[in-house]
Amino acid sequence: MKASIKSLAVAGILACLSPLAGAEAINVPAPDFTLESRSGENLRLEDHRGEVVMLNFWASWCGPCRQEMPLMDELYSQYKDLGFTILAVNVDENREEAHRFLDKVPVNYPILYDPESSVSELYEVQAMPTTVMIDRNGNARYLHYGYQPGYEDEYEQQIRELVRE
């Protein structure tokens, strides 16, 4: 698993250095994890094998997250019946901050909590938000750092590509 984390980190560095630092195409095993969800149950990435997963790291203090999350909710509603899901990992140390954020920006996809940033560290998250597109075989295929208006079009293109595979 260390090789995949290192590969993901190298891809992230390359994405940051790219003149088009939005998304980087990669193809490495996505590190498995288990986190508690908003509903109280533990969710494991491996349990979503066979689905396309949009893994999104966000925080309540993140302005771009406030813009991005409702657009992600639209993608979730549109593609969830085609074998697509979103796992949104909140990195706030205080869960109440996330709850206040979600009261203002409600979403229908699963919210997971990573208050010790263990999964964020596993994925070497360097920016908020960070999004990893994972294919049905559990491979991280696209890595996005940050959010700017229009990224949702790129997300949709990648979701379409991955659900067709």
Side-chain angles (χ1 to χ4, degrees):
M1 181 145 69
K2 287 186 179 182
S4 66
I5 295 168
K6 186 175 181 181
S7 299
L8 196 59
V10 169
I13 291 166
L14 293 174
C16 289
L17 297 175
S18 167
L20 301 172
E24 184 73 23
I26 56 177
N27 192 3
V28 296
D32 191 25
F33 62 86
T34 302
L35 288 173
E36 185 180 348
S37 71
R38 189 174 191 190
S39 66
E41 65 183 315
N42 287 334
L43 293 183
R44 183 176 178 200
L45 177 61
E46 183 67 28
D47 292 342
H48 292 276
R49 184 70 61 101
E51 292 180 287
V52 173
V53 177
M54 181 181 195
L55 179 61
N56 178 265
F57 295 89
W58 66 281
S60 63
W61 46 263
C62 168
C65 299
R66 185 174 302 277
Q67 291 178 285
E68 178 184 54
M69 290 180 76
L71 300 169
M72 289 170 42
D73 202 43
E74 291 174 21
L75 292 171
Y76 178 72
S77 296
Q78 186 174 354
Y79 292 99
K80 67 181 179 181
D81 293 336
L82 299 175
F84 168 74
T85 194
I86 296 175
L87 298 179
V89 178
N90 176 264
V91 300
D92 289 316
E93 290 179 17
N94 181 350
R95 194 174 292 197
E96 288 306 311
E97 293 171 9
H99 291 168
R100 282 193 294 278
F101 178 98
L102 293 167
D103 286 343
K104 295 175 185 164
V105 185
V107 296
N108 294 306
Y109 48 81
I111 301 294
L112 309 177
Y113 299 105
D114 187 23
E116 280 120 39
S117 296
S118 57
V119 176
S120 304
E121 289 174 14
L122 186 64
Y123 279 82
E124 308 224 0
V125 172
Q126 302 167 12
M128 285 295 138
T130 291
T131 301
V132 182
M133 293 290 191
I134 302 169
D135 67 20
R136 295 179 190 274
N137 296 317
N139 293 310
R141 297 280 295 277
Y142 295 100
L143 179 62
H144 299 260
Y145 284 105
Y147 171 77
Q148 293 180 3
Y151 279 18
E152 65 277 6
D153 297 332
E154 201 170 335
Y155 295 160
E156 184 169 19
Q157 178 184 352
Q158 292 166 1
I159 293 164
R160 286 181 177 191
E161 172 192 334
L162 295 175
V163 297
R164 287 181 181 141
E165 290 181 352

